[in-house]
Amino acid sequence: MSIFQDNLERLQALKELDGISQADLDSLSSPHKLSYVELEVNNKTYPAWRVLYSSDLGPGKGGIRFHQDVSEDEVQSLAFWMTLKNSLADIPYGGAKGGVKFNPKEADKKELEAVSRAYAKAFHQVLGQDIDVPAPDVYTNSQTMAWILDEYEKIVGHHEPGMITGKPLELGGIKLRSDATAQGGYFVAQEMVKEFLSDHKPEEIKVAVQGFGNAGLFMTEKMAADNFKIVAVSDSQGGVYNETGLDIAALSAHKASGKNVSNYSGGQPMTNAELLEADVDILVLAALENQITSANADKIKAKYIVELANGPIDLAADKYLDAKGTVIVPDILANSGGVIVSYFEWAQNRTGQILDEEYLKNLLEKKMRNNWQRMFNLYQEKGDISLRQAAYILAVRRILTAKRWRGHA
Ligand code: GLU
């Protein structure tokens, strides 16, 4: 089953759960615009997509990923999740996503630059600060954004920093953006702990983190700083386990020196599959989609899961875990800190006003905690739904209200 089919099934469930009409659900069941181009770079061809899923609430917004497994099904699903995420976050954006199918780890800097510029050339007509605004995602970063911005500005003939977010500071980026996804995820993880685990001290709560890239690394550091017992961490090459708790500062330094976490000497090596099944209280998923599926759902021991990645649990596994009583903080809330701070960056670029960093930090925190609370209140009010279903209902309600105001529904 495709990821997008899973999403449509999740959407259809809202008919029963919230009385949303079939016509309304149908209006959200396909993307507004799907653009596909084969990029020609140094005699090689790279399939590339930009999907504007919805622009009911504002311009499209969502990252661009470089990965060898990128597919249309994946990009469309990620664009769908961005649509719900931006709506739930209460920011003025529709949803979008982009991707290029190639392995960036095998490319040198020149090749990465050429692919980024080719992407801007291919899609410049469907991008723009009022049309669709990209950002970093898996294996793209501020340098990628800088190349895309530079190429785009060359084509359109004027400066337009608001056409992309996650930029270097010198090109109109903001400091807060680098660890915003993890920071936002940590605020909602704290809310979850307050709600469900308040009778435990952090040092009694065992945590495993899958993924030690941008989001996973910062999240692990924040949890460790608050004394949570991080017993397992993994990156794409494998993981490391220490029953008494890993020394995260030492592990981060090890990773920063270019090594993989699995050969860190302060614990025993473990596979990614073993990490997911580890005997922990909280499992943080910060890698890719479809990590927990019907193949391993029955082996998951964690009672609490935080989805820092997009779509790490497929529909079948989601149903299984939900029936078992596992509490899952859904991706569209847990990782929304990144796009919320992208919104701050975009607003600053648009207005030319300097936004105070302390003010923005507080605003991110306020938004994340408030969005958790709205989701949690609906979850309690309805009684028999999951946190994900509560989040989906709130997101879809806001989009449909916007559609009505526009006369589109
Ligand atoms: N790629 C990030 C996400 O999946 C950030 C998107 C953005 O900032 O536009 O939420």
Side-chain angles (χ1 to χ4, degrees), residues 50 60-65 78 82 85-86 93 96-97 133-138 140 165-166 177 181 308-310 331 335-343:
R50 186 69 192 173
K61 185 85 192 82
I64 300 171
R65 88 173 34 180
L78 289 161
M82 284 309 308
K85 188 187 307 185
N86 294 335
Y93 291 136
K97 202 80 175 199
V133 183
D137 195 72
V138 174
T140 55
T165 60
R177 184 67 184 81
T181 305
L308 219 47
N310 291 305
D331 48 4
N335 69 32
S336 62
V339 72
I340 291 174
V341 173
S342 275
Y343 167 54

Side-chain angles (χ1 to χ4, degrees), residues 263-283:
N263 48 41
Y264 167 66
S265 58
Q268 301 99 49
M270 87 186 322
T271 65
N272 248 304
E274 286 165 348
L275 179 133
L276 296 172
E277 297 162 16
D279 187 8
V280 293
D281 304 293
I282 302 178
L283 175 61

Side-chain angles (χ1 to χ4, degrees), residues 400-409:
L400 291 175
T401 306
K403 273 184 184 289
R404 297 229 154 79
W405 282 115
R406 288 179 188 278
H408 295 172

Side-chain angles (χ1 to χ4, degrees), residues 77-122:
S77 298
L78 289 161
F80 171 80
W81 288 323
M82 284 309 308
T83 304
L84 299 184
K85 188 187 307 185
N86 294 335
S87 176
L88 181 69
D90 208 15
I91 52 180
Y93 291 136
K97 202 80 175 199
V100 183
K101 182 176 165 59
F102 83 114
N103 186 352
K105 287 185 178 169
E106 282 171 7
D108 60 14
K109 197 170 175 197
K110 269 210 158 92
E111 182 95 349
L112 291 173
E113 176 171 354
V115 172
S116 307
R117 290 189 184 278
Y119 191 90
K121 265 192 207 133

Side-chain angles (χ1 to χ4, degrees), residues 32-43:
H32 182 69
K33 191 185 187 90
L34 191 153
S35 310
Y36 172 74
V37 171
E38 290 182 353
L39 306 179
E40 300 288 339
V41 180
N42 301 330
N43 296 322

